[in-house]
Amino acid sequence: MKFVDEIGLSAAQKLESSVGPFVALPAYRRLLVRTAEPSFAARAALGALRCVVRLGSDERDIGDIAAYWSTLSGSGPHFPAILDLCRLLARVGRKSAALALAQAETERAPTARALYLYGRCLELMGEGDAAFMVFANAATRADEEKGAADVAVAARAWRVQRLLGDRSTAALAVADAASADPTGAPPDHKLVIALGRLRSPSRFVRASGLSLLEELGRDPTTSLGQHAIRLAAEHADALGDALTPLEADRVAATLGHVPDDAARENALARLAAAQAIAASRGEAQAEAITRAGELAPEIAVLVRRARAALTGGGQGDEAARPSRATEPASPSLRLASLGLAAFVALGKSQPREAAEALDEATELVTKGGVGVPPPVWTAARAALESADPLARAAGVKLCEVLLQGPAAAPPGGHSAFAVALARAGRPDLAVRAARDAAAGKEVSARALLGSILREQGWALAARGQRELSIAALLEAKEHLAAAAKDGARGR
């Protein structure tokens, strides 16, 4: 850098502060040369950027200086200044200019914070898919950078929030939520991470999500605390008797923050009743279900259907064809109600009624935002094994939605569903269920996956789909060999 250049920069800065950006901008522009020393060039470029932003210059002017800025690698840590300029541009509605500047900063110094800023600007522009990928890069880079833990959790929380509404990407949401460290994160980020973890097939991951809800629920005077308590209760409702003791303990701790004494005791009593149902069998379970209905009058319809399912019917047509006026208002309870209605209808040889209940359950699950209670899985499996084509088709349709990303494993695991789907003529869904079984390390799951893939491979070969057939048979061979090796080791 020449001494005369430093004088020129000092003069430009004085003009900016005393006269204004209109006069200072040409002085800064004369200093934007490719041969300038990086730290000097960065100071000059920042001055020019301040001027064009304050002047409201067109996108071309900002783009030209942003392009120059992108070449200044090694010019020092200037992210705070770029962040302020991007915020100002976004605040006045100049989103594309903010995006250009943020992108230039990632090219100049691709730090985690720069990538996160770029992702936020893409989000503002409505480029959600591109932002999704950039946030992944920001999280990965933040894991490697010292002092960037807040960026890692913010980026992953954003990804989880975007994924929550899509059941087909539940596994990805769970992975991001599980890898995010919520220590010191803002409450809204903790809530999103908790929601992502509640969709995990692992009870331990779900319990960690409930622990976050319990932490947020410690202050029930806030809307966020109240929401956290409600989400914990809805999680217990959705899983029903599939709620594990570990999760029940976390739910009970969260419900303990309900400020109203009567409401708190009632909620804890309902939770205890659900656990009693899960721990009992036969007539003892029927009695536990009845006691649950006494504690919660709004689930009386579910209680009658549950008893009908246990006793093989006998509760009248109301059990299979309920009035909408008597249905539970809660989406999770409504879903459980439909599952029980379909199961009872199948037991009473009423396939049309069963199919209607299953179709409505499919619509509710497709909308998302509610966990899948065990009765829905049970009804779906019963429908797959039905001799009636209408009920079986409704069961297959429901399974197709359930297997896109269930919140938890079905009662008894995915293996039974894989077998039932294969028998129902849907090997594609059978493979998906078998993969979930293998991922969940269910007993003999890899052998089952291998055998289903082998049958699928030969069927594809018979239809002349040679490449797909070879791929399926090779994968089948791999899984069967691994299963045989595990068997030899006594696993």
Side-chain angles (χ1 to χ4, degrees):
M1 178 191 66
K2 299 178 181 178
F3 182 68
V4 68
D5 291 334
E6 191 65 44
I7 294 175
L9 178 58
S10 179
Q13 291 169 340
K14 288 180 180 178
L15 286 172
E16 182 186 1
S17 60
S18 60
V19 182
F22 182 79
V23 177
L25 180 57
Y28 279 123
R29 282 188 180 280
R30 285 193 291 270
L31 301 173
L32 304 183
V33 294
R34 301 292 179 182
T35 57
E37 189 268 331
S39 62
F40 170 83
R43 287 183 290 154
L46 281 174
L49 285 169
R50 288 193 303 270
C51 290
V52 294
V53 170
R54 288 175 60 192
L55 287 170
S57 302
D58 60 28
E59 306 294 326
R60 182 176 179 180
D61 280 344
I62 295 178
D64 288 344
I65 302 176
Y68 177 78
W69 180 257
S70 69
T71 66
L72 303 180
S73 176
S75 55
H78 300 290
F79 176 76
I82 296 299
L83 176 60
D84 288 342
L85 289 172
C86 286
R87 282 174 172 168
L88 178 57
L89 286 167
R91 192 159 53 243
V92 297
R94 309 192 65 189
K95 300 175 184 178
S96 59
L99 176 63
L101 185 53
Q103 183 176 7
E105 174 65 5
T106 64
E107 295 171 7
R108 184 192 75 88
T111 63
R113 295 188 189 280
L115 288 166
Y116 184 76
L117 173 63
Y118 182 37
R120 289 300 303 271
C121 289
L122 284 167
E123 179 189 4
L124 286 175
M125 289 292 293
E127 300 289 342
D129 292 340
F132 188 80
M133 299 303 297
V134 171
F135 281 131
N137 294 335
T140 302
R141 181 63 63 93
D143 290 337
E144 301 169 354
E145 289 181 11
K146 184 178 180 181
D150 58 327
V151 176
V153 69
R156 290 190 171 104
W158 188 94
R159 282 168 56 89
V160 172
Q161 186 171 13
R162 189 169 187 268
L163 292 168
L164 286 177
D166 187 351
R167 293 185 59 79
S168 66
T169 56
L172 190 55
V174 169
D176 272 320
S179 59
D181 181 3
T183 305
D188 56 332
H189 288 170
K190 289 182 179 180
L191 183 66
V192 170
I193 293 168
L195 285 170
R197 292 183 180 185
L198 290 184
R199 284 156 172 73
S200 173
S202 165
R203 66 182 185 275
F204 300 108
V205 176
R206 294 197 303 271
S208 70
L210 289 168
S211 293
L212 287 175
L213 293 182
E214 186 275 328
E215 180 184 336
L216 295 171
R218 292 172 190 172
D219 186 0
T221 63
T222 65
S223 59
L224 199 64
Q226 295 165 11
H227 190 46
I229 294 172
R230 184 167 61 253
L231 288 172
E234 289 178 354
H235 179 74
D237 278 344
L239 289 189
D241 59 2
L243 190 72
T244 64
L246 179 63
E247 292 170 273
D249 176 72
R250 294 291 80 210
V251 172
T254 308
L255 295 177
H257 299 308
V258 175
D260 182 83
D261 292 342
R264 181 176 62 254
E265 294 307 316
N266 184 262
L268 290 171
R270 294 183 189 205
L271 179 62
Q275 289 299 99
I277 293 172
S280 56
R281 297 292 182 271
E283 186 58 31
Q285 189 176 63
E287 293 175 1
I289 289 173
T290 300
R291 286 195 297 274
E294 294 169 353
L295 285 169
E298 74 276 11
I299 65 169
V301 175
L302 276 71
V303 171
R304 286 195 291 274
R305 281 184 214 146
R307 285 194 65 89
L310 289 170
T311 60
Q315 296 300 313
D317 288 343
E318 181 185 4
R321 293 191 299 275
S323 166
R324 283 189 176 271
T326 63
E327 284 298 315
S330 165
S332 59
L333 291 180
R334 172 67 180 157
L335 199 52
S337 174
L338 290 167
L340 286 168
F343 186 76
V344 172
L346 288 167
K348 298 175 71 174
S349 299
Q350 297 174 335
R352 184 174 297 278
E353 288 81 355
E356 290 175 355
L358 291 168
D359 286 342
E360 189 173 346
T362 300
E363 292 179 10
L364 273 177
V365 174
T366 302
K367 289 179 181 177
V370 59
V372 181
V376 175
W377 287 103
T378 302
R381 182 176 169 188
L384 291 176
E385 297 171 351
S386 172
D388 182 84
L390 184 65
R392 190 166 60 251
V396 168
K397 184 179 177 182
L398 177 56
C399 284
E400 192 165 10
V401 175
L402 292 175
L403 292 172
Q404 287 180 0
H414 285 91
S415 295
F417 274 86
V419 174
L421 285 163
R423 290 173 179 169
R426 286 300 300 269
D428 56 327
L429 293 180
V431 168
R432 190 184 300 177
R435 290 192 193 283
D436 288 340
K441 300 189 183 303
E442 295 177 21
V443 177
S444 302
R446 293 202 72 176
L448 175 63
L449 176 57
S451 63
I452 293 175
L453 282 168
R454 183 172 57 192
E455 292 299 321
Q456 185 185 47
W458 289 122
L460 289 168
R463 294 198 296 268
Q465 296 176 281
R466 186 172 181 275
E467 291 185 3
L468 292 176
S469 170
I470 292 174
L473 290 172
L474 286 174
E475 187 181 355
K477 181 179 180 181
E478 177 186 344
H479 288 297
L480 290 170
K485 185 179 297 185
D486 288 344
R489 292 174 179 173
R491 292 183 182 177

